[in-house]
Amino acid sequence: RGGNPHRIVFSRFMQKVLFRLLEFAPRLGLLEETYRLLETVRLMERNHPAGYGAITEYDLLFETGCKGIIGCLVASSERWQTDVSNSQDPSEQADTRLVDCLERATELLLLGWLAHSRNIRISVLETINDRYRWNRLQTFIETYGKDLFTQQFMNFGNLRAILHQGVDQFIEALEEEPNAGENFRLIEDLDFPLPRDEATEMLELIIEAIVENYPEYADYNSTTTQSDSGELLYTLLDFLRVEASYDRVAWNLKPVVFAHEVLVRQGRTAAAALWRDAVAERTRSVAENHIERYRRLSRKYGMRLPAVADRLRERFVQPLAVDRLCALVRPAMEEFLGGEQTVLFEELEREAEEFIKKPGGVGLDVPAWLESLEEEIRKVRSNTPVDNDLPDPFPEIPQVFLSLEEVYRQMDAWEKEQELHDVPFP
């Protein structure tokens, strides 16, 4: 695409260096330095935008640094002394102390993550949150959708081709068809009373929304009578707006999910359970709000979309349950292949049974949890390190264990620096 090969190679090299730093710094106990590096990377990307269509690498860098910090805290917590004067069981006391520490760490990590997320588009439908833009879109679909959004037009390959060539080019090609004005009201009204720019904008938004959510469209197409009428396509988009809102909250919770993944991977199941309970409690009202919005739309339009309903019923905590399931794979397989008593393998079966009891969607796609389980099994069989997607092996660096006092000292220093820069906490 006209890029400079030398700059590409140099950028890849620098990315590799950053990944290594974010992997190794937490292992050396350098939590404050890891925070600073993540913030530096975020500001570098913000201050030097690559232009339209650029793909951010910050997500992967943040995940590496976040998991490294959490991993350091979890490993260090095993050496923290418990209070003998406390009536609480020592193991419970240790888990509670670890969870409290992780909450403080994720609050700090959320600062940069939320600042980054504000510049990330989760869905094109986020651009039509206000009533005015939504009414414009609904009116456009009701007016021009009957002869335009046919089954043939809504084919995935056709939609991708239109986006690739440009919606404006598609409209021009449509104008050249014989009797285009008679067959398509969109062409008849083009330029007056429908401005060409508005027609291009609305059509591009609709096509992008369907391409982004094609499994949901397939669900809509196979389970509802509304899908036979192109002028009712806005009903699907209204449901997808709710799902986009849910996905935005789920995206903002990524650091919380990463923390839970590290806990289950390092065998801190009791602390992980406390973490799941805390997440469920704090997100309950938001999850219920999205489910209620879905129910109102179901009553309003007289239809249900199982794929959207299943997504909302995850209530932001199902990814944590999937992490728990995947974390059992390696020890369960090692136990089974070693001929030992299959305690963990049976536990894995019980966990999987809970997912099987709740089938999702309409059976058109493999459930996401099953794909995650299959991928985990593949990694274990190939003996691939869980979180190492980099092609070259990295040297073994022993974990430096930090005292609880040192952990809080480093977090205090980072928090003070944020206050000096007037960065508000979420």
Side-chain angles (χ1 to χ4, degrees):
R1 299 184 180 181
N4 185 310
H6 297 287
R7 291 183 62 187
I8 293 172
V9 172
F10 180 74
S11 296
R12 291 296 184 189
F13 172 76
M14 287 305 300
Q15 287 172 8
K16 183 65 66 67
V17 170
L18 290 172
F19 272 113
R20 288 294 180 241
L21 286 172
L22 290 168
E23 282 179 336
F24 297 154
R27 295 193 67 82
L28 296 172
L30 304 175
L31 304 186
E32 184 181 353
E33 288 78 2
T34 307
Y35 286 129
R36 290 174 183 271
L37 181 56
L38 285 173
E39 184 65 6
T40 300
V41 172
R42 185 184 70 81
L43 293 176
M44 287 173 63
E45 186 173 90
R46 187 193 70 181
N47 295 332
H48 299 277
Y52 178 77
I55 299 174
T56 177
E57 292 288 340
Y58 181 79
D59 301 352
L60 295 176
L61 289 166
F62 179 87
E63 180 177 353
T64 300
C66 179
K67 288 182 177 179
I69 290 171
I70 300 301
C72 175
L73 297 179
V74 174
S76 298
S77 68
E78 297 177 1
R79 303 193 176 194
W80 295 343
Q81 294 182 350
T82 56
D83 186 358
V84 293
S85 63
N86 194 315
S87 59
Q88 190 179 23
D89 181 86
S91 61
E92 294 180 2
Q93 186 182 150
D95 290 329
T96 302
R97 183 176 291 180
L98 172 58
V99 168
D100 290 341
C101 185
L102 291 181
E103 286 182 349
R104 176 84 180 281
T106 50
E107 282 182 2
L108 289 169
L109 289 163
L110 275 166
L111 287 171
W113 182 249
L114 294 177
H116 164 72
S117 297
R118 283 193 288 269
N119 300 316
I120 296 297
R121 191 190 81 177
I122 301 299
S123 169
V124 67
L125 292 170
E126 290 185 304
T127 63
I128 55 170
N129 274 332
D130 62 277
R131 184 176 296 275
Y132 171 72
R133 285 182 58 82
W134 170 250
N135 288 339
R136 281 180 60 208
L137 182 66
Q138 181 177 342
T139 301
F140 178 87
I141 294 173
E142 289 177 325
T143 306
Y144 305 110
K146 182 176 182 179
D147 47 26
L148 185 60
F149 301 130
T150 62
Q151 294 292 324
Q152 182 179 1
F153 177 85
M154 300 301 286
N155 178 274
F156 184 75
N158 184 55
L159 297 179
R160 286 291 301 272
I162 292 172
L163 290 178
H164 181 71
Q165 72 176 2
V167 174
D168 52 346
Q169 297 292 324
F170 167 74
I171 292 177
E172 290 178 8
L174 203 61
E175 288 181 284
E176 297 174 1
E177 291 190 5
N179 303 319
E182 298 176 10
N183 297 331
F184 300 99
R185 184 176 174 182
L186 174 70
I187 301 303
E188 181 182 356
D189 291 354
L190 199 60
D191 295 323
F192 183 82
L194 177 65
R196 185 176 293 263
D197 289 345
E198 181 177 343
T200 302
E201 176 193 356
M202 291 291 102
L203 192 55
E204 184 174 30
L205 191 154
I206 293 165
I207 294 175
E208 280 192 33
I210 299 301
V211 169
E212 282 181 359
N213 301 277
Y214 206 78
E216 285 81 356
Y217 171 75
D219 189 0
Y220 166 78
N221 196 33
S222 62
T223 61
T224 72
T225 57
Q226 286 87 342
S227 62
D228 296 330
S229 305
E231 68 272 21
L232 296 179
L233 185 63
Y234 69 88
T235 59
L236 169 63
L237 298 184
D238 213 358
F239 278 96
L240 294 180
R241 287 202 302 163
V242 179
E243 187 175 28
S245 173
Y246 178 94
D247 289 341
R248 168 60 66 178
V249 178
W251 175 267
N252 290 341
L253 289 172
K254 284 279 190 180
V256 177
V257 176
F258 293 154
H260 178 268
E261 183 181 348
V262 173
L263 284 170
V264 293
R265 294 288 182 183
Q266 296 198 16
R268 298 299 294 270
T269 55
L274 292 174
W275 192 257
R276 288 194 297 274
D277 292 342
V279 173
E281 179 63 29
R282 295 184 182 184
T283 59
R284 181 174 289 112
S285 61
V286 181
E288 288 294 340
N289 175 264
H290 283 88
I291 291 173
E292 180 55 33
R293 288 172 62 186
Y294 171 86
R295 289 170 179 162
R296 287 200 299 267
L297 291 180
S298 293
R299 292 191 294 267
K300 179 179 179 180
Y301 298 130
M303 62 187 242
R304 296 179 180 179
L305 291 178
V308 176
D310 290 341
R311 176 64 172 154
L312 302 183
R313 279 197 289 263
E314 291 181 6
R315 298 173 180 270
F316 306 109
V317 294
Q318 181 158 320
L320 310 186
V322 174
D323 285 343
R324 164 66 180 155
L325 180 68
C326 291
L328 284 169
V329 169
R330 183 178 294 272
M333 290 180 68
E334 290 174 351
E335 176 189 70
F336 183 81
L337 295 174
E340 303 174 15
Q341 187 178 3
T342 56
V343 177
L344 290 175
F345 194 88
E346 291 170 2
E347 185 177 352
L348 175 62
E349 285 187 310
R350 286 194 300 270
E351 294 277 352
E353 284 288 340
E354 294 301 315
F355 286 93
I356 295 172
K357 290 177 183 177
K358 302 173 184 176
V362 291
L364 297 176
D365 296 289
V366 177
W369 70 267
L370 194 55
E371 289 184 334
S372 298
L373 187 62
E374 183 179 20
E375 175 65 14
E376 184 68 23
I377 293 171
R378 184 193 65 78
K379 285 183 177 181
V380 173
R381 283 178 170 172
S382 62
N383 201 29
T384 303
V386 173
D387 291 321
N388 180 33
D389 293 327
L390 299 174
D392 56 319
F394 56 87
E396 286 293 333
I397 294 182
Q399 176 67 60
V400 173
F401 301 102
L402 303 178
S403 67
L404 185 59
E405 292 75 16
E406 174 60 18
V407 167
Y408 278 114
R409 186 199 67 76
Q410 293 200 43
M411 289 195 289
D412 287 341
W414 176 245
E415 184 175 349
K416 288 178 182 178
E417 181 171 329
Q418 293 296 331
E419 291 173 352
L420 288 173
H421 289 83
D422 295 322
V423 179
F425 277 79

